[in-house]
Amino acid sequence: MINIKFFADFRERAGVASLKLEQSGETTVASLVETLLEQNNDFEFLSSKNVLIAVNQTLSASDAKINDGDEVAFFPPVTGG
Amino acid sequence: MINIKFFADFRERAGVASLKLEQSGETTVASLVETLLEQNNDFEFLSSKNVLIAVNQTLSASDAKINDGDEVAFFPPVTGG
Amino acid sequence: MMIKVQSADFCVGEEYSRLRQNADSDGAIVTFTGLVRDFNQDGSVSSMFIEHYPGMTEKSLMKICSEARMRWELGQISVIHRIGHLTASEQIVFVGVTAKHRKEAFEGAQFIMDYLKNSAPLWKKEGTLSGMKWVDSKTSDEQALTRWYEDKQVS
Amino acid sequence: MMIKVQSADFCVGEEYSRLRQNADSDGAIVTFTGLVRDFNQDGSVSSMFIEHYPGMTEKSLMKICSEARMRWELGQISVIHRIGHLTASEQIVFVGVTAKHRKEAFEGAQFIMDYLKNSAPLWKKEGTLSGMKWVDSKTSDEQALTRWYEDKQVS
């Protein structure tokens, strides 16, 4: 099971703050995104250029490896401070 | 009359905080220093490299012109802050 | 190192006193405070909502402070970031740094703010005349990072 | 622009509040506070005396602040410098600056401190184990100025 989270604009576009996805064996963020896009058009924003990715709360690239139990978050460029 | 002031280490070396010097007509800080050196050996420190000069409370060079009524101050490099 | 992510306001005077109390032999204390400005690119801002990624925000701020310590000899570091609803002119963020010398304290605080702006998972939604709207990230914030690139990079 | 040269201590919290109150549309407030460190190059410092040039000190600080305003868009500026007897860990100097953006506030405050260190007529005498001794000016303070030379110079 992969725990997926969306924040800010992405949370609103996804219509959910988090969801869980069954996953057996190691995969990558990129193929996780493909799976999500196949499931639902609402995740279209995940193919835009300005998507930040965090795997287990650490900023990561789209080729980052993910395994069962990992937390993967997608969010737009940050605007705090 | 030129009003001369000394600060910090220079005040202690001069043995006075201020003194007045009769002066008719325009002169320069450099020739004022010469006059002081002729008067008293205690002013020897004025020929060192690290002498800052202020004419009427504005940092100035030794060729700065001075006139009757001006205030001329001599002090070592500043160490505030 | 003190990191706080909170909805409550903070008191700069108290934060300064705490830094000073623990400053030991440090001779310099620099504080930065960010306020909700009463305007921005898109018109008047009357209110603001700040969303964050619970857990990761704190982790990210800790990492930024550790990175700052690797670059400069710093004493105390405090970072406070507010979340939730804020109104115009309220305090949003505080960064306080002590160091032996002023250069380190200034640069350390500026570095922390520059990286916080670009890597801490926080998002602003502004209430403008045309409704609530997510704030766009600024290229000037990305540019601000480039001055720190000489050495190494916070991911 | 508020310039104070005084023997009394100051409260950073109050100074910050004053800056914030008048910050209008500014989103950034940077403060710098300098403390008497409890050591220096020549051993333990137990007390300090700061001498100044009455009149010129204020004039010089005003000039430095005006120069900072010519370089950056700054809002409020406060500078306080203490004179007379101070003991270890006491506050010596305060610089507070507000600006629309953080870069201006950081650079403005740092510029004012760098120039104050090099051109404001103030001198420190430290009480060390070997008696009272005038502090030597530091080349690092002169070097700190060079980063501001690109544009123009405060005399």
Side-chain angles (χ1 to χ4, degrees):
Chain A
M1 199 79 92
I2 306 291
N3 197 4
I4 302 171
K5 295 188 168 194
F6 303 104
F7 289 97
D9 192 29
F10 289 4
R11 179 178 45 71
E12 293 179 355
R13 293 208 213 176
V16 287
S18 67
L19 57 88
K20 286 177 195 299
L21 208 73
E22 204 65 53
Q23 175 67 40
S24 58
E26 192 173 77
T27 181
T28 63
V29 175
S31 66
L32 182 71
V33 169
E34 273 173 47
T35 311
L36 287 168
L37 285 169
E38 281 163 21
Q39 283 197 353
N40 195 329
N41 263 344
D42 289 350
F43 297 130
E44 189 56 39
F45 62 87
L46 289 175
S47 30
S48 94
K49 269 196 311 181
N50 286 317
V51 179
L52 296 185
I53 299 157
V55 174
N56 297 326
Q57 307 193 349
T58 298
L59 284 174
S60 304
S62 62
D63 61 356
K65 302 262 186 298
I66 44 178
N67 284 285
D68 191 40
D70 282 348
E71 176 174 302
V72 180
F74 298 97
F75 44 80
V78 304
T79 55
Chain B
M1 199 79 89
I2 307 290
N3 196 4
I4 302 171
K5 295 188 167 192
F6 302 103
F7 290 97
D9 192 31
F10 288 5
R11 178 177 45 72
E12 292 179 356
R13 294 208 213 177
V16 288
S18 67
L19 57 88
K20 287 176 193 298
L21 208 74
E22 205 67 52
Q23 176 67 39
S24 58
E26 192 173 78
T27 181
T28 64
V29 175
S31 67
L32 182 72
V33 168
E34 273 175 46
T35 312
L36 287 168
L37 285 169
E38 281 164 20
Q39 282 196 355
N40 194 330
N41 263 343
D42 289 349
F43 297 129
E44 191 55 37
F45 63 86
L46 290 175
S47 30
S48 94
K49 270 197 308 182
N50 286 317
V51 178
L52 296 185
I53 300 157
V55 175
N56 297 326
Q57 306 192 351
T58 298
L59 284 175
S60 305
S62 64
D63 60 357
K65 302 262 188 295
I66 44 177
N67 283 285
D68 192 39
D70 282 348
E71 178 172 301
V72 180
F74 298 97
F75 45 79
V78 304
T79 55
Chain C
M1 213 136 84
M2 194 206 66
I3 308 287
K4 288 185 195 162
V5 179
Q6 62 187 42
S7 53
D9 196 10
F10 51 84
C11 171
V12 171
E14 278 173 29
E15 298 307 325
Y16 169 81
S17 296
R18 201 188 332 269
L19 287 167
R20 185 183 169 194
Q21 213 159 13
N22 299 310
D24 296 329
S25 61
D26 285 346
I29 305 180
V30 168
T31 74
F32 171 85
T33 312
L35 309 174
V36 180
R37 289 190 294 145
D38 58 4
F39 70 94
N40 80 338
Q41 300 108 303
D42 314 292
S44 164
V45 172
S46 55
S47 74
M48 180 173 277
F49 178 79
I50 303 180
E51 178 169 331
H52 81 304
Y53 185 166
M56 182 175 168
T57 309
E58 293 81 350
K59 212 172 141 179
S60 154
L61 295 175
M62 286 292 280
K63 196 173 174 182
I64 293 166
C65 293
S66 301
E67 183 76 13
R69 271 194 200 290
M70 285 170 62
R71 291 171 180 242
W72 296 281
E73 207 187 319
L74 304 176
Q76 300 297 308
I77 305 181
S78 292
V79 178
I80 305 176
H81 204 295
R82 292 180 68 194
I83 50 170
H85 287 285
L86 299 177
T87 57
S89 88
E90 273 200 83
Q91 301 179 138
I92 305 175
V93 59
F94 175 83
V95 172
V97 167
T98 77
K100 290 212 170 25
H101 305 287
R102 73 184 182 286
K103 187 173 187 289
E104 282 70 24
F106 272 116
E107 294 191 355
Q110 201 168 1
F111 173 92
I112 290 168
M113 274 308 300
D114 285 349
Y115 270 91
L116 183 159
K117 281 265 181 189
N118 282 277
S119 70
L122 291 145
W123 302 272
K124 287 197 193 97
K125 197 172 195 178
E126 286 177 347
T128 65
L129 298 173
S130 47
M132 290 296 280
K133 194 168 171 286
W134 290 105
V135 173
D136 280 333
S137 66
K138 283 190 291 183
T139 36
S140 63
D141 283 328
E142 284 173 51
Q143 285 161 355
L145 278 191
T146 59
R147 73 175 280 216
W148 309 112
Y149 278 174
E150 297 139 36
D151 301 353
K152 48 196 160 186
Q153 204 176 334
V154 166
S155 66
Chain D
M1 211 136 86
M2 196 206 65
I3 308 287
K4 288 185 194 162
V5 179
Q6 62 187 42
S7 53
D9 196 9
F10 52 84
C11 171
V12 171
E14 278 174 29
E15 297 307 324
Y16 169 80
S17 296
R18 201 188 332 269
L19 286 168
R20 186 184 168 193
Q21 213 160 15
N22 300 309
D24 298 328
S25 62
D26 286 345
I29 306 181
V30 169
T31 73
F32 171 86
T33 313
L35 309 174
V36 180
R37 290 190 293 145
D38 59 4
F39 70 95
N40 79 336
Q41 301 106 303
D42 315 292
S44 163
V45 171
S46 54
S47 72
M48 180 174 278
F49 178 80
I50 302 180
E51 177 168 333
H52 80 303
Y53 184 167
M56 182 173 168
T57 309
E58 292 83 349
K59 212 171 141 179
S60 154
L61 295 175
M62 286 291 279
K63 195 172 173 183
I64 293 166
C65 294
S66 303
E67 183 76 11
R69 272 193 199 289
M70 285 169 63
R71 291 170 180 241
W72 296 281
E73 207 188 318
L74 304 176
Q76 300 295 308
I77 306 180
S78 293
V79 179
I80 306 176
H81 205 296
R82 293 180 67 194
I83 50 170
H85 287 284
L86 300 177
T87 56
S89 88
E90 275 201 81
Q91 303 179 135
I92 304 176
V93 60
F94 174 83
V95 172
V97 167
T98 78
K100 290 211 171 23
H101 304 288
R102 72 185 183 285
K103 187 173 188 290
E104 282 71 22
F106 271 117
E107 292 191 357
Q110 201 168 2
F111 173 92
I112 290 168
M113 274 308 300
D114 285 350
Y115 271 90
L116 183 159
K117 281 266 182 188
N118 282 277
S119 70
L122 292 145
W123 302 271
K124 288 199 193 96
K125 198 172 195 178
E126 287 177 346
T128 67
L129 298 173
S130 48
M132 291 296 280
K133 195 166 169 286
W134 290 104
V135 173
D136 280 332
S137 64
K138 284 191 290 184
T139 35
S140 63
D141 284 328
E142 283 173 51
Q143 284 160 355
L145 277 192
T146 58
R147 73 174 278 214
W148 310 112
Y149 278 172
E150 296 139 35
D151 303 352
K152 47 197 161 184
Q153 206 176 333
V154 166
S155 66

